[in-house]
Amino acid sequence: KAGVTQTPRYLIKTRGQQVTLSCSPISGHRSVSWYQQTPGQGLQFLFEYFSETQRNKGNFPGRFSGRQFSNSRSEMNVSTLELGDSALYLCASSLRGNRGRQGTEAFFGQGTRLTVV
Amino acid sequence: AQTVTQSQPEMSVQEAETVTLSCTYDTSESDYYLFWYKQPPSRQMILVIRQEAYKQQNATENRFSVNFQKAAKSFSLKISDSQLGDAAMYFCAYRRTRGDSNYQLIWGAGTKLIIKP
């Protein structure tokens, strides 16, 4: 079974530009979550998508957005990039069920390293 | 709000010896999950072990075991017979079981584990 695939692995962008990151979850997983990892702030939750709907959002500005497609693939977009957006962006997929105990484990991709210059 | 604290930024251990990584958390909920994840230089977050709060028995996965003290809100990870491949950042994480935010992982700051040959 293929794991979580994130593309691209590396990105270099200029301040003010926008960027789109992609995540393909494990086959059959319908929940996709995004996390930002930086040396200063650590791991922070961005948002979670399930069945093409955003179910939960972290404390990030509106420049950070996402979506999920009918095949569960997800994209996140960051507009008007700032230097502080430089980070490792991790995507995780889960087998989310109707009850909280199902699909307890989150499986992660290798991340996208975004550098803003 | 829930918080997770890892007070050891870095730990080192001799190969084949045992090391314990500490984690404390704060929550007002009685039912939740706790996880230890490992992040090697490849950056991919790998699940090491998980504990369900309603289970009194400590989880064990081969050389990895936890000491879960619910009343003290402590969740330490013991690695026995340390191997060079265990060298990585280790993150403690918390997850609720109920509510819209129950797929959000709340992370500690991480502990860098160094294995000395």
Side-chain angles (χ1 to χ4, degrees):
Chain A
K1 206 176 202 180
V4 180
T5 303
Q6 289 189 247
T7 56
R9 293 287 307 278
Y10 302 91
L11 267 178
I12 300 176
K13 290 286 188 178
T14 304
R15 271 183 304 176
Q17 287 186 313
Q18 76 164 16
V19 67
T20 299
L21 312 182
S22 178
C23 173
S24 293
I26 292 171
S27 178
H29 285 195
R30 297 167 62 196
S31 169
V32 174
S33 298
W34 290 88
Y35 294 86
Q36 182 196 64
Q37 185 177 21
T38 60
Q41 299 297 317
L43 282 148
Q44 293 185 288
F45 172 77
L46 279 156
F47 26 65
E48 187 224 349
Y49 285 87
F50 175 69
S51 292
E52 303 176 60
T53 303
Q54 188 182 88
R55 297 304 177 110
N56 192 19
K57 186 174 175 16
N59 189 25
F60 278 82
R63 299 185 298 106
F64 291 82
S65 63
R67 59 178 174 169
Q68 187 179 34
F69 301 94
S70 58
N71 62 357
S72 295
R73 188 178 71 87
S74 177
E75 290 181 346
M76 68 163 281
N77 185 77
V78 188
S79 62
T80 319
L81 283 165
E82 300 177 0
L83 295 178
D85 297 333
S86 295
L88 178 67
Y89 289 89
L90 292 168
C91 165
S93 80
S94 298
L95 184 62
R96 192 192 230 267
N98 292 325
R99 291 171 292 170
R101 293 202 183 282
Q102 293 182 4
T104 55
E105 297 175 13
F107 297 86
F108 286 81
Q110 287 193 287
T112 294
R113 171 75 67 187
L114 171 65
T115 302
V116 182
V117 297
Chain B
Q2 297 84 18
T3 58
V4 177
T5 302
Q6 292 178 252
S7 58
Q8 305 155 316
E10 187 174 294
M11 292 281 285
S12 63
V13 64
Q14 207 72 33
E15 191 177 4
E17 294 189 345
T18 296
V19 64
T20 299
L21 308 184
S22 301
C23 172
T24 58
Y25 59 94
D26 189 26
T27 183
S28 59
E29 300 179 336
S30 60
D31 196 12
Y32 47 86
Y33 298 104
L34 294 165
F35 305 88
W36 278 99
Y37 279 89
K38 164 186 176 180
Q39 188 178 41
S42 69
R43 305 177 323 200
Q44 184 159 14
M45 203 68 81
I46 301 165
L47 178 65
V48 174
I49 200 165
R50 79 172 191 209
Q51 176 79 41
E52 296 173 80
Y54 72 92
K55 292 184 177 178
Q56 292 185 332
Q57 187 174 6
N58 288 327
T60 299
E61 289 286 342
N62 301 314
R63 297 183 295 107
F64 299 87
S65 61
V66 298
N67 183 4
F68 173 48
Q69 301 289 328
K70 191 173 183 179
K73 296 180 183 175
S74 170
F75 182 61
S76 61
L77 174 70
K78 185 172 84 171
I79 306 174
S80 304
D81 185 25
S82 298
Q83 300 175 1
L84 294 177
D86 294 333
M89 284 292 293
Y90 284 80
F91 292 93
C92 179
Y94 169 101
R95 209 203 95 185
R96 301 175 66 193
T97 60
R98 301 177 188 278
D100 288 338
S101 65
N102 67 346
Y103 275 77
Q104 173 184 347
L105 288 165
I106 298 168
W107 302 85
T111 297
K112 182 178 182 180
L113 179 62
I114 298 168
I115 310 295
K116 299 177 184 176

